[in-house]
C-alpha cells in the first residue's frame, strides 16, 4: 500500500520548513527511522526520518521549496500484512484532498469508491501541480480517466471541472526579463488583462480561500485578475492565476524601479555586489537580537583577569585529556568557573517573568556557548555544568559545538540555558558588548588571552613580569541586576580563573 508522509512538527512554534536536500530518490528502498530529507526551520537544520520500511514512490516537494507543517512531502510504497504491495492511503492524518491522489485499478473509479470490499488500488499518475489544481477546483482526481499521455494533465482536470481544457497553463507562464531597450514596454504589458483573459465589468469573482488570502496579502482586487474560466456560471480565478498576476505586478514595479535607478546612475561606474536571502536561521537570530536589545536595558561591565595559573593548568591537563579522547580548551574551565560563581551569586542565574511580574532564580546551571556557524550564531547548551567534571564538560561542549557548525544541532539542544558565554577571543577580540540571550539576564564575553606586563608582588617586593591576561565583558539586564551584582559575579569568576585549583573544591 502507499503511505503519504506529511512534514512533521520539527520544533516548538515552527509552522514551515525549507526542504534543503533529499537523501533519497523514487525507487530507493528505505528503512524505518532512516533520514530521507534535510529541512531547515527558523531554529535549526533537522533530519526527517522515514516512518516506515518501504520503497520511495514519489517526492512531493522540491529542494529549496518552503513546505508548511502538515503538507505531504513524500509517498512510500509498503507491504501490507500479507506481504503484498498495494496502493492505499495509510496516512490517517491526511486530509480528503490528499487522499484523493490515490485511485482505483481495473474497476471504474465510481465502483471502487462505493465498494467497501475493494482494497487493491494503484497510484494515479499526476504531477504535484496537477494535484494542486485538482484540489483548487474541487475535483476528485481519482475520478478522472487516464489521458492519452498516460498521465493526468491540467487540461484533463479543467475539462472534468467543466472548464475550457484549452485554457493556457498559467503556472508555466513566465514574465520575460526586459532589456534596456524594451523595459518600458515590458512594464506596461506585464499586467495587461489581454494576456490572460477578460476583466471588463466584473463585479464578482469565484476563488478558493487560499487564492483570496494571497490576493489580500498582495493588495490585489480579485475582480482585476484576468481569467477565461468559469465555475457555477461565475468568473473563476485559480490560485495559479492569482500568483502569476501578483508576480507580474511585482515584476512591473521592479522594472520601473530599475529603470529609474539606471537613469539616476547612468554616469556612475558599476559597483559589484551580491545578495542573499535574509531568512531562516539568520532572520530568527536577527529578530531575537533586536527583541533582546530593545526589551532589556543592556549594561556591560568590563574587567580583566590574570590567568597565568589557568594557562599552566590547561597545559598540564591537555595531554591527559587527549588520552581520554577529549580536546581541552579554556572554555570548560570558564564554564565551571561561571557555574560556581552563579551558585554564589544566584541573582545572576535568573530570568524576568514579565507576565507574572516575578524574577525567577534558577537552582540549576545550564551554560550556553555561543558558536559561530555559516548560518549565524547558534547557542548549544550544556546542562548541569556544576554536576559534571572538567573532562565531561569539555567532551559535551566539543560535541555540541561541532554539531552546531555542521547544522545538525536540534532545537532541544539549544533550550533551557540559564547563562551564556561568548568567546570573542577566538578571533582576536578583547572587549565587547554582547547581547543577552533572553530570557537569561546576563552573558559573558571572553577576550583573547594575551601576554601583558603586570606588577607582581612577592616577598614584599614588586617586580614587572609578563603575565597571561584575559578580558571579561559581562552584559546584564538592568531590570534584574544592578552594577554591584555584575561586579560581584565577575569578581567570583576571576577568583576561579586566577586559581583554577579552587574548582576542585566545588
Amino acid at each position: 500500500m502507499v503511505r503519504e508522509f506529511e512534514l512533521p512538527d520539527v520544533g516548538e512554534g515552527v509552522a514551515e520548513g525549507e526542504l534543503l536536500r533529499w537523501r533519497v530518490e523514487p525507487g530507493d528502498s528505505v528503512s524505518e527511522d532512516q533520514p530521507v530529507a534535510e529541512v531547515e526551520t527558523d531554529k535549526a537544520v533537522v533530519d526527517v526520518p522515514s516512518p516506515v520500511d518501504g520503497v520511495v514512490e514519489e517526492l512531493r516537494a522540491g529542494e529549496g521549496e518552503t513546505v508548511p507543517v502538515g503538507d505531504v512531502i513524500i509517498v512510500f510504497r509498503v507491504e501490507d500484512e500479507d506481504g503484498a504491495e498495494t496502493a492505499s492511503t495509510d496516512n490517517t492524518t491526511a486530509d480528503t484532498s490528499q487522499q484523493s491522489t490515490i485511485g482505483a485499478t481495473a474497476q471504474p473509479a465510481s465502483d471502487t469508491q462505493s465498494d467497501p470490499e475493494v482494497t487493491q488500488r494503484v497510484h494515479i499518475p499526476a504531477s504535484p501541480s496537477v494535484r494542486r489544481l485538482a484540489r483548487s477546483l474541487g475535483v476528485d482526481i481519482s475520478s478522472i480517466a487516464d489521458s492519452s499521455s498516460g498521465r493526468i494533465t491540467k487540461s484533463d482536470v479543467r475539462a472534468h471541472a467543466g472548464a475550457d481544457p484549452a485554457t493556457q497553463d498559467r503556472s508555466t507562464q513566465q514574465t520575460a526579463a526586459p532589456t534596456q531597450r524594451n523595459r518600458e514596454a515590458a512594464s506596461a504589458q506585464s499586467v495587461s488583462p489581454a494576456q490572460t483573459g477578460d476583466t471588463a465589468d466584473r463585479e464578482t469573482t469565484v476563488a478558493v480561500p487560499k487564492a483570496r488570502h494571497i490576493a489580500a496579502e498582495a493588495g490585489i482586487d480579485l475582480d482585476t485578475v484576468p481569467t477565461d474560466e468559469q465555475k457555477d456560471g461565475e468568473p473563476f480565478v485559480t490560485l495559479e492565476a492569482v500568483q502569476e498576476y501578483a508576480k507580474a505586478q511585482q515584476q512591473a514595479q521592479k522594472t520601473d524601479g530599475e529603470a529609474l535607478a539606471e537613469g539616476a546612475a547612468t554616469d556612475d561606474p558599476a559597483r559589484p555586489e551580491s545578495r542573499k536571502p535574509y531568512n531562516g536561521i539568520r532572520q530568527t537570530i536577527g529578530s531575537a537580537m533586536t527583541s533582546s536589545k530593545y526589551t532589556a536595558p543592556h549594561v556591560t561591565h568590563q574587567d580583566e583577569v590574570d590567568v597565568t595559573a589557568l594557562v599552566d593548568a590547561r597545559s598540564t591537563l591537555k595531554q591527559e585529556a587527549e588520552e581520554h579522547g577529549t580536546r581541552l580548551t579554556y572554555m570548560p574551565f570558564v564554564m565551571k568557573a561561571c557555574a560556581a560563581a552563579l551558585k554564589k551569586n544566584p541573582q545572576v542565574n535568573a530570568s524576568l517573568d514579565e507576565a507574572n511580574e516575578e524574577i525567577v532564580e534558577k537552582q540549576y546551571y545550564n551554560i550556553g556557548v555561543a558558536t559561530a556557524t555559516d548560518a549565524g550564531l547558534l547557542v548549544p547548551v550544556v546542562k548541569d555544568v556544576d554536576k559534571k567534571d572538567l573532562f565531561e564538560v569539555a567532551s559535551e561542549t566539543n560535541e555540541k559545538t561541532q554539531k552546531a557548525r555542521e547544522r545538525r544541532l536540534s532545537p532541544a539542544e539549544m533550550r533551557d540555558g540559564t547563562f551564556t558565554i561568548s568567546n570573542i577571543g577566538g578571533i582576536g577580540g578583547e572587549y565587547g558588548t554582547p547581547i543577552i540571550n533572553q530570557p537569561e539576564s546576563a552573558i559573558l564575553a571572553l577576550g583573547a588571552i594575551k601576554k601583558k606586563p603586570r606588577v607582581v608582588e612577592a616577598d614584599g617586593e614588586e617586580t614587572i613580569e609578563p603575565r597571561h591576561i584575559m578580558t571579561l565583558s559581562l552584559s546584564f539586564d538592568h531590570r534584574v541586576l544592578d552594577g554591584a551584582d555584575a561586579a560581584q559575579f565577575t569578581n567570583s569568576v576571576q577568583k576561579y580563573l586566577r586559581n583554577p585549583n579552587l574548582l576542585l573544591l566545588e
Side-chain angles (χ1 to χ4, degrees):
M1 59 185 173
V2 164
R3 169 74 178 269
E4 292 180 333
F5 181 57
E6 302 168 350
L7 179 64
D9 183 355
V10 292
E12 295 178 0
V14 173
E16 62 184 16
E18 180 183 349
L19 201 154
L20 293 181
R21 179 168 69 98
W22 282 113
R23 293 192 173 191
V24 294
E25 297 179 352
D28 288 353
S29 296
V30 296
S31 57
E32 187 175 357
D33 293 330
Q34 173 185 333
V36 296
E38 287 182 4
V39 174
E40 180 180 29
T41 70
D42 59 357
K43 299 183 185 232
V45 175
V46 296
D47 286 329
V48 176
S50 168
V52 294
D53 296 331
V55 176
V56 177
E57 177 81 3
E58 181 184 0
L59 305 180
R60 292 278 184 89
E63 293 182 351
E65 182 178 343
T66 299
V67 184
V69 169
D71 274 18
V72 175
I73 60 171
I74 188 171
V75 179
F76 300 98
R77 187 171 69 254
V78 299
E79 293 184 348
D80 60 16
E81 295 180 355
D82 298 327
E85 289 187 353
T86 59
S88 174
T89 301
D90 191 39
N91 187 353
T92 57
T93 63
D95 61 27
T96 56
S97 62
Q98 292 165 339
Q99 293 174 7
S100 67
T101 62
I102 309 302
T105 56
Q107 301 183 51
S110 59
D111 294 342
T112 303
Q113 292 171 347
S114 61
D115 185 359
E117 298 299 321
V118 177
T119 58
Q120 187 73 16
R121 305 186 180 188
V122 296
H123 186 63
I124 290 294
S127 67
S129 62
V130 171
R131 300 179 192 280
R132 286 195 294 271
L133 176 61
R135 289 196 289 270
S136 70
L137 295 178
V139 172
D140 181 358
I141 200 170
S142 65
S143 64
I144 304 176
D146 289 356
S147 65
S148 58
S149 65
R151 294 179 63 85
I152 303 299
T153 65
K154 290 187 176 182
S155 295
D156 297 329
V157 173
R158 292 194 179 99
H160 193 80
D164 180 6
T167 299
Q168 185 179 3
D169 180 4
R170 292 178 176 80
S171 65
T172 59
Q173 291 179 345
Q174 299 292 329
T175 303
T179 64
Q180 187 171 358
R181 292 190 298 270
N182 67 5
R183 288 183 192 277
E184 184 176 351
S187 174
Q189 293 175 1
S190 61
V191 293
S192 170
Q195 284 185 304
T196 51
D198 185 20
T199 62
D201 301 325
R202 257 174 42 203
E203 296 182 356
T204 60
T205 300
V206 179
V208 295
K210 188 171 183 180
R212 294 186 181 278
H213 176 70
I214 291 177
E217 283 189 338
I220 294 173
D221 182 354
L222 278 176
D223 294 334
T224 66
V225 179
T227 183
D228 293 325
E229 301 186 28
Q230 289 192 345
K231 189 169 185 179
D232 298 329
E234 297 287 350
F236 175 72
V237 175
T238 65
L239 176 59
E240 287 99 332
V242 174
Q243 292 171 329
E244 186 64 26
Y245 190 72
K247 180 180 176 182
Q249 285 195 326
Q250 292 169 359
Q251 181 64 37
Q253 294 168 357
K254 180 181 177 183
T255 300
D256 291 342
E258 289 174 348
L260 289 173
E262 284 185 4
T266 303
D267 299 329
D268 293 339
R271 294 181 176 88
E273 61 182 22
S274 62
R275 292 172 177 260
K276 58 183 180 181
Y278 178 58
N279 56 18
I281 295 174
R282 179 75 266 169
Q283 188 177 55
T284 301
I285 293 171
S287 298
M289 294 298 97
T290 301
S291 174
S292 177
K293 191 65 176 178
Y294 287 96
T295 300
H298 281 56
V299 180
T300 303
H301 173 86
Q302 297 177 327
D303 211 335
E304 60 180 26
V305 55
D306 186 333
V307 292
T308 303
L310 174 62
V311 172
D312 293 340
R314 185 242 180 182
S315 178
T316 300
L317 295 174
K318 185 177 178 181
Q319 181 64 37
E320 182 74 16
E322 290 177 353
E323 292 177 1
H324 285 78
T326 300
R327 182 173 60 90
L328 185 61
T329 67
Y330 293 107
M331 181 60 74
F333 289 95
V334 179
M335 294 169 70
K336 291 289 292 182
C338 285
L342 289 170
K343 280 189 174 182
K344 290 180 168 53
N345 300 270
Q347 70 276 19
V348 181
N349 200 50
S351 62
L352 178 61
D353 184 348
E354 295 184 72
N356 294 311
E357 298 182 341
E358 296 174 335
I359 294 175
V360 183
E361 292 186 357
K362 316 293 177 60
Q363 277 81 51
Y364 49 93
Y365 307 92
N366 299 342
I367 309 295
V369 179
T371 305
T373 75
D374 292 340
L377 205 63
L378 301 180
V379 185
V381 174
V382 178
K383 297 182 179 179
D384 298 321
V385 170
D386 60 312
K387 299 178 181 178
K388 297 172 180 174
D389 65 37
L390 188 67
F391 288 173
E392 287 177 321
V393 173
S395 178
E396 187 172 344
T397 301
N398 293 340
E399 177 187 356
K400 289 189 174 180
T401 54
Q402 184 62 31
K403 288 175 68 176
R405 294 187 183 99
E406 296 173 355
R407 301 174 73 182
R408 296 187 294 109
L409 200 65
S410 69
E413 292 173 304
M414 294 185 282
R415 284 199 294 264
D416 301 327
T418 63
F419 185 82
T420 297
I421 302 171
S422 178
N423 183 17
I424 61 175
I427 54 176
E430 283 198 74
Y431 290 100
T433 55
I435 297 178
I436 300 165
N437 185 23
Q438 288 192 312
E440 299 165 17
S441 294
I443 178 173
L444 179 67
L446 309 177
I449 298 176
K450 296 182 178 181
K451 275 191 174 183
K452 298 182 180 180
R454 288 294 182 268
V455 175
V456 177
E457 184 177 352
D459 298 328
E461 297 185 1
E462 293 182 344
T463 58
I464 297 178
E465 299 179 8
R467 306 290 290 180
H468 292 281
I469 305 298
M470 174 191 285
T471 54
L472 304 175
S473 301
L474 180 75
S475 288
F476 60 94
D477 186 342
H478 217 326
R479 299 173 302 173
V480 180
L481 304 173
D482 295 325
D485 297 317
Q488 289 168 5
F489 171 77
T490 305
N491 290 341
S492 294
V493 173
Q494 288 178 309
K495 181 181 72 172
Y496 290 108
L497 296 182
R498 276 195 299 265
N499 185 1
N501 289 331
L502 293 177
L503 292 173
L504 299 175
L505 303 177
E506 297 295 329

